[in-house]
């Protein structure tokens, strides 16, 4: 046995020992937070067991308790609900296959801060796994039999193994049998080109609350199906206290035989440094996240395989991205979104016994890449956005993208579509559950909220105790519930700070109640007028009467009409609007970055502000101070006000004077609302510290523009000609390099 790391933990908030168990829960249930080479874990089952004894290892531990838990359902395939950071989380969903949707949403055994009250979840042998688990390659083991085999294996390894598990010295007198908390989990490594052979590994995790230890027992199965503990990779996390100071330690049972694969089992130094540091920090972190764990509604194994497949298939999109946005972020984010939806829909088909792939409409599709991937993978669908993007022409005819404005009314219904998608759909986000509910009884929705919009205008906060993001998610959930959906929440693995999605897969009412439910929706939408940040001045318009149930061409009674908003984003007629005052985004995006202002007007403002700064006559010295020679160079500091007409024009066109000055960064430097003339001697020093890619970008633009200081500053340019990145006169000008052409073939 060897201690590979020990950390002293300061606990001013009196969070220990509860904080320690919360930190261990993160490593137990979401190890990918610390080990980036893991995809996640699947918790199979959890229950209380008796401490194994050498003399009684042939008997099944805790037999009395098993009788009480034998009626429990089989282990569910999904990871537990939990926060996106340190803190307690719930146990896995262990409901039986074939249960109702309402029962499936109930999570059993909410884990509290006190680990002694942790949930005891049992798996019944012989029961089938839930459809849609996607983990059939890794069949579930009977927890009873697995613990029997582990107990025999531990006892057969000698007293050292049992002493390590008990956290006591070898040869010490055993006390009264203790109750241990046992967890069976499957660790899921990431798969990809670099590690194609990585396979899931099973572990038995034994938690001893009284001793403050958590022991990880890797399991292996021989050709005859006999189960044993792989003692070479057994390790333990231990909490101890000396006087008033707490310590967290990581110990390895057999360090000389430790086998590190670099994925599931990292090097001992990583455990003793990286993991230990995280556990110590999490143990005293009192912040509790209000979000669920990532990918809590789908199979992590399926998602990992699908994501790697799509990433390899569409990675070349980064090289041909024609938009001004960051290709790496947008491509891989849409790949992750597509992987999630493909797995979600595959599991839905298995649950419902369907063969045809689901259809979809992406409202506010933006660059259309998500539509392109889903369509290429066999799902019929289309995307609609108010503005066409350059990249649309690159996808080909199989990707259906439409340039149109969406105004929520009776003409924006999609009766023949299975799913409506709102990926950062902004002002349409709260309307998507409404449109889905009124399109057809079988229409579902998926929204990924980003910007905060109400039914009309910006969303106005009402609760200061929540973050704005959490409050807005709760609002969209409230909209979905008011529309009659069971709303589920999940957290995606995407490169974005806004990565919580809301899903409406089923309804809370029967089709016969559609008319009464639509009255409820109408009442709820009208009630939101009192919550708008900037309510429109016009009086509320009554919603149009809903069609009767069974109307021709529409299963839930609404008229089956195609999308058709007026050209340029104009509102639909008042008698068709669901709520007056809604304004779709403008078809032509207004540029507010000075690009539309005349060049001579910009030059005039720049000169006027520069002269104001130069009149301040702040002097700084340049030259060799040791030789006694110096030259004064005027550097202004604060800008005075301009004329009201000029300021108003700037406010209308580019957001104000600061925006114009920031855009003219060759001349000015704006910091904390104060402006002064830029000193390029400081820029030269900073540029030497830039990475090579940025320095290469500077070299490509070298001498392609006239130096403003050479032309306008009374002292000229502070840099000599060979050091200034701008041209000192027309003779030094170089033609700008032509941009590289993008390939038009995917």
């Amino acid at each position: 046995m060897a201690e590979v790391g020990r950390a002293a933990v300061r606990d001013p908030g009196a969070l220990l020992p509860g904080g320690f168990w919360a930190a261990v829960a993160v490593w137990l249930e979401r190890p990918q937070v610390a080990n980036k080479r893991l995809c996640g874990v699947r918790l199979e089952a959890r229950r209380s067991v008796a401490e194994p004894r050498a003399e009684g290892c042939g008997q099944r531990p805790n037999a009395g308790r098993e009788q009480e838990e034998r009626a429990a359902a089989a282990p569910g395939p999904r990871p537990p609900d939990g926060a996106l950071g340190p803190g307690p989380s719930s146990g896995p969903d262990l409901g039986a296959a074939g249960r109702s949707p309402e029962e499936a949403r109930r999570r059993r055994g909410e884990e509290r801060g006190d680990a002694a009250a942790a949930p005891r979840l049992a798996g019944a042998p012989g029961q089938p796994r839930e459809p849609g688990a996607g983990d059939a390659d890794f069949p579930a083991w009977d927890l009873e039999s697995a613990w029997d085999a582990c107990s025999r294996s531990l006892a057969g390894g000698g007293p050292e193994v049992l002493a390590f598990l008990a956290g006591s010295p070898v040869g010490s007198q055993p006390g009264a049998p203790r109750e241990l908390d046992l967890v069976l989990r499957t660790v899921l490594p990431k798969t990809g080109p670099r590690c194609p052979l990585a396979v899931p590994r099973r572990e038995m995790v034994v938690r001893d609350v009284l001793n403050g230890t958590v022991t990880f027992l890797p399991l292996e199965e021989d050709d005859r199906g006999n189960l044993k503990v792989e003692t070479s990779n057994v390790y333990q996390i231990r909490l101890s206290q000396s006087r008033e100071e707490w310590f967290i330690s990581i110990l390895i049972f057999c360090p000389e035989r430790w086998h590190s694969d670099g994925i599931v089992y990292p090097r001992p130094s990583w455990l003793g440094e990286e993991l230990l540091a995280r556990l110590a920090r999490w143990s005293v972190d009192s912040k509790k996240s209000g979000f669920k764990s990532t990918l809590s509604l789908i199979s992590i194994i399926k998602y990992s395989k699908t994501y790697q497949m799509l990433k390899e298939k569409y990675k070349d999109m980064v090289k041909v991205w024609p938009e001004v946005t960051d290709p790496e972020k947008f491509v891989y984010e849409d790949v992750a979104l597509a992987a999630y939806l493909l797995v979600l829909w595959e599991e839905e088909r298995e649950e419902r016994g369907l063969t045809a792939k689901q259809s979809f409409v992406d409202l506010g599709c933006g660059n259309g890449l998500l539509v392109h991937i889903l369509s290429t993978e066999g799902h019929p669908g289309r995307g609609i956005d108010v503005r066409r993007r350059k990249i649309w022409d690159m996808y080909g005819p199989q990707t259906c993208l439409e340039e149109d404005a969406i105004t929520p009314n009776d003409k924006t219904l999609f009766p023949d579509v299975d799913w409506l998608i709102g990926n950062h759909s902004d002002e349409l986000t709260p309307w998507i559950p409404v449109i889905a509910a009124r399109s057809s009884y079988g229409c579902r929705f998926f929204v990924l909220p980003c910007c905060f919009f109400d039914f009309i205008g910006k969303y106005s906060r009402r609760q200061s105790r929540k973050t704005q993001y959490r409050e807005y998610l709760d609002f969209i959930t409230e909209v979905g519930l008011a529309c009659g959906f069971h709303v589920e929440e999940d957290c995606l693995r995407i490169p974005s700070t806004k990565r919580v999605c809301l899903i409406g897969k089923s309804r809370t009412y029967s089709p016969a109640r559609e008319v009464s439910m639509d009255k409820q929706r109408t009442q709820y939408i009208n009630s939101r007028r009192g919550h708008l940040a900037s309510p429109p001045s016009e009086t509320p318009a009554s919603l149009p009467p809903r069609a009767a149930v069974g109307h021709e061409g529409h299963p839930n009674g609404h008229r089956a009409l195609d999308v058709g908003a007026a050209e340029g984003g104009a509102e639909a007629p008042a008698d068709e609007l669901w709520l007056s005052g809604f304004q779709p985004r403008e078809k032509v995006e207004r540029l507010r970055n000075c690009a539309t202002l005349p060049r001579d007007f910009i030059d005039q403002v720049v000169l006027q502000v520069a002269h104001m700064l130069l009149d301040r006559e702040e002097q700084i010295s340049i030259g060799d101070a040791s030789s006694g020679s110096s030259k004064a160079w005027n550097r202004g500091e604060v800008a005075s006000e301009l004329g009201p007409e000029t300021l108003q024009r700037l406010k209308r066109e580019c957001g104000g004077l600061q925006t114009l000055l920031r855009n003219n960064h060759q001349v000015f430097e704006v910091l904390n609302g104060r402006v002064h003339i830029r000193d390029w001697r400081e820029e030269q020093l900073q540029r030497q510290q830039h990475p090579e890619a940025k320095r290469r970008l500077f070299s490509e633009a070298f001498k392609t523009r006239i130096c403003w200081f050479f032309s306008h500053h009374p002292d000229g340019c502070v840099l000599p000609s060979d050091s200034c990145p701008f041209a000192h006169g027309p003779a030094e000008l170089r033609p700008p390099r032509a941009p590289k052409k993008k390939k038009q073939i995917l």
Side-chain angles (χ1 to χ4, degrees):
M1 182 181 72
E3 185 179 75
V4 296
R6 169 183 284 240
V9 182
R10 295 183 179 179
D11 185 24
L15 298 174
L16 295 174
F20 169 75
W21 297 112
V24 168
V26 176
W27 177 241
L28 174 67
E29 301 172 4
R30 300 187 297 281
Q32 71 276 5
V33 175
N35 186 353
K36 301 302 181 183
R37 295 186 178 182
L38 298 181
C39 180
V41 295
R42 188 182 70 227
L43 297 189
E44 307 290 358
R46 177 182 299 173
R47 66 167 55 192
S48 292
V49 297
E51 181 184 9
R53 299 288 185 180
E55 65 275 9
C57 61
Q59 300 177 359
R60 182 162 46 205
N62 202 30
R65 188 176 184 85
E66 292 171 359
Q67 301 299 326
E68 300 175 3
E69 299 180 330
R70 195 174 288 275
R78 292 167 183 159
D81 301 337
L84 288 177
S89 58
S90 63
D93 184 1
L94 302 181
R99 63 192 170 189
S100 67
E102 290 76 16
E103 293 172 339
R105 288 178 181 82
R106 298 192 186 101
R107 300 290 183 181
R108 302 179 57 186
E110 193 87 13
E111 184 165 343
R112 296 182 289 275
D114 184 2
R120 294 170 174 84
L121 306 174
Q127 289 195 354
R129 296 177 62 89
E130 267 193 14
D135 305 334
D137 295 338
F138 317 105
W141 289 338
D142 176 7
L143 185 56
E144 304 168 5
S145 303
W147 181 239
D148 282 346
C150 285
S151 299
R152 289 191 295 270
S153 177
L154 291 171
E160 294 84 0
V161 182
L162 293 177
F164 182 79
L165 179 65
S168 58
V170 179
S172 60
Q173 292 296 326
R178 296 191 305 274
E179 190 177 72
L180 307 177
D181 188 41
L182 184 68
V183 179
L184 177 64
R185 72 172 187 171
T186 301
V187 183
L188 309 174
K190 286 183 178 179
T191 58
R194 296 184 179 179
C195 49
L197 302 179
V199 294
R201 299 293 300 269
R202 292 288 180 96
E203 285 185 342
M204 196 77 76
V205 184
V206 183
R207 184 166 56 177
D208 187 342
V209 176
L210 294 179
N211 273 354
T213 62
V214 183
T215 308
F216 295 80
L217 308 174
L219 304 178
E220 56 182 13
E221 193 174 8
D222 59 21
D223 297 336
R224 292 181 293 180
N226 297 323
L227 191 67
K228 67 174 183 177
V229 177
E230 188 180 352
T231 56
S232 60
N233 279 26
V234 171
Y235 68 99
Q236 186 179 88
I237 303 173
R238 180 180 298 177
L239 176 68
S240 58
Q241 188 178 21
S242 176
R243 297 181 182 177
E244 296 182 358
E245 192 170 16
W246 293 92
F247 296 92
I248 299 177
S249 308
I250 296 184
L251 303 95
I252 293 179
F253 172 66
C254 194
E256 66 275 6
R257 293 170 50 202
W258 179 272
H259 170 68
S260 174
D261 60 6
I263 302 174
V264 177
Y265 300 111
R267 296 187 304 273
S269 59
W270 186 91
L271 293 173
E273 296 172 7
E274 297 293 332
L275 177 60
L276 182 61
R278 289 174 181 264
L279 291 172
R281 185 173 68 252
W282 295 341
S283 295
V284 292
D285 190 347
S286 60
K287 296 179 181 178
K288 293 184 179 180
S289 174
F291 305 111
K292 295 195 174 185
S293 60
T294 57
L295 311 180
S296 62
L297 300 180
I298 63 172
S299 164
I300 297 181
I301 292 180
K302 277 189 175 181
Y303 173 84
S304 181
K305 292 180 178 178
T306 305
Y307 176 77
Q308 292 299 334
M309 180 270 293
L310 295 180
K311 184 178 179 182
E312 187 68 21
K313 189 174 182 179
Y314 297 98
K315 64 181 181 181
D316 289 340
M317 288 293 304
V318 175
K319 303 176 183 178
V320 298
W321 193 256
E323 306 292 334
V324 296
T325 52
D326 181 10
E328 298 243 348
K329 177 187 184 302
F330 283 88
V331 170
Y332 294 129
E333 180 172 329
D334 284 352
V335 165
L337 276 170
Y340 186 91
L341 288 171
L342 290 175
V343 174
L344 180 72
W345 292 347
E346 180 184 351
E347 294 184 352
E348 183 186 59
R349 293 196 301 273
E350 293 175 356
E351 293 170 2
R352 299 189 176 195
L354 304 175
T355 56
K357 292 189 174 183
Q358 295 91 331
S359 59
F360 70 93
V361 172
D362 188 351
L363 299 179
C365 62
N367 58 55
L369 181 56
L370 179 61
V371 178
H372 175 66
I373 296 175
L374 295 176
S375 300
T376 306
E377 298 305 315
H379 286 271
R382 55 180 169 146
I384 304 173
D385 199 280
V386 70
R387 288 191 296 272
R388 187 179 187 85
R389 305 299 199 274
K390 299 175 184 177
I391 198 172
W392 285 14
D393 296 328
M394 300 173 59
Y395 293 134
Q398 77 280 1
T399 302
C400 183
L401 298 170
E402 303 174 12
E403 185 181 12
D404 212 338
I406 300 292
T407 301
N409 57 57
D410 280 357
K411 291 186 178 181
T412 53
L413 298 177
F414 305 90
D416 301 323
V417 172
D418 296 318
W419 283 82
L420 293 186
I421 299 174
N423 173 21
H424 294 190
S425 46
D426 295 343
E427 67 274 2
L428 286 176
T429 298
W431 286 105
I432 288 178
V434 183
I435 298 174
R438 288 176 168 171
S439 290
S440 71
Y441 183 80
C443 188
R444 288 85 77 191
F445 74 85
F446 170 95
V447 293
L448 182 63
C450 179
C451 300
F452 308 137
F453 283 87
D454 210 312
F455 288 113
I456 299 176
K458 293 287 187 178
Y459 177 78
S460 178
R461 296 192 64 181
R462 290 292 180 269
Q463 301 182 40
S464 59
R465 294 185 178 181
K466 298 181 181 179
T467 65
Q468 186 178 17
Y469 185 41
R470 178 69 265 173
E471 183 181 347
Y472 188 69
L473 291 171
D474 292 343
F475 163 60
I476 301 301
T477 300
E478 178 185 293
V479 174
L481 294 173
C483 291
F485 284 99
H486 290 292
V487 182
E488 297 176 282
E489 180 179 305
D490 205 353
C491 189
L492 308 179
R493 289 183 182 173
I494 57 176
S496 174
T497 56
K498 304 293 193 302
R499 55 196 185 104
V500 178
C501 67
L502 300 171
I503 301 171
K505 293 175 58 178
S506 59
R507 304 292 176 98
T508 59
Y509 63 95
S510 63
R513 294 184 52 218
E514 180 60 42
V515 174
S516 61
M517 278 302 303
D518 196 65
K519 291 180 180 178
Q520 176 180 315
R521 295 182 200 117
T522 302
Q523 183 179 4
Y524 176 78
I525 294 171
N526 282 330
S527 71
R528 289 299 303 175
R529 278 192 165 273
H531 297 274
L532 302 181
S534 301
S537 57
E538 60 266 20
T539 57
S542 59
L543 283 112
R546 314 310 303 169
V549 176
H551 190 86
E552 182 180 359
H554 207 290
N556 72 343
H558 301 307
R559 289 180 288 161
L561 299 175
D562 294 330
V563 59
E567 183 76 17
E571 285 193 30
D575 60 346
E576 294 180 351
L577 286 175
W578 291 345
L579 190 63
S580 62
F582 177 85
Q583 288 289 343
R585 188 169 300 184
E586 296 177 354
K587 186 171 183 178
V588 179
E589 186 176 10
R590 293 183 61 190
L591 296 177
R592 296 177 58 82
N593 60 355
C594 305
T596 57
L597 290 172
R599 186 69 244 177
D600 47 347
F601 174 78
I602 295 175
D603 293 341
Q604 176 187 347
V605 174
V606 169
L607 278 173
Q608 190 173 353
V609 173
H611 287 147
M612 293 177 186
L613 296 176
L614 294 173
D615 288 342
R616 297 283 179 175
E617 295 185 352
E618 179 183 353
Q619 303 291 322
I620 61 173
S621 136
I622 63 172
D624 188 1
S626 61
S627 63
S629 63
S630 64
K631 177 184 176 182
W633 192 78
N634 203 337
R635 177 181 179 179
E637 188 180 26
V638 181
S640 302
E641 293 185 359
L642 299 174
E645 294 183 1
T646 301
L647 292 177
Q648 285 298 324
R649 184 175 183 182
L650 291 173
K651 191 70 175 177
R652 288 195 306 268
E653 297 295 332
C654 67
L657 176 62
Q658 280 199 43
T659 305
L660 185 142
L661 299 180
R662 289 181 189 275
N663 288 348
N664 287 271
H665 51 81
Q666 180 196 166
V667 184
F668 302 110
E669 184 174 4
V670 181
L671 183 63
N672 297 327
R674 297 171 67 86
V675 59
H676 61 76
I677 293 178
R678 187 177 296 274
D679 188 347
W680 278 91
R681 292 169 299 185
E682 299 174 359
E683 300 296 322
Q684 291 289 94
L685 295 175
Q686 294 177 6
R687 186 176 303 172
Q688 296 174 3
Q689 303 173 0
H690 286 314
E692 181 182 353
K694 200 164 186 178
R695 291 200 302 268
R696 186 168 58 249
L697 184 63
F698 285 142
S699 65
E700 292 176 355
F702 191 74
K703 299 291 186 183
T704 57
R705 294 177 60 186
I706 291 289
C707 177
W708 183 92
F709 298 97
F710 177 81
S711 303
H712 300 286
H713 197 283
D715 295 332
C717 182
V718 70
L719 298 176
S721 176
D722 56 349
S723 300
C724 181
F726 301 96
H728 286 194
E732 294 186 3
L733 271 176
R734 293 171 47 194
R737 293 185 58 179
K740 296 180 180 179
K741 294 184 178 180
K742 300 286 185 180
K743 296 181 181 179
Q744 299 295 314
I745 301 175
L746 294 182

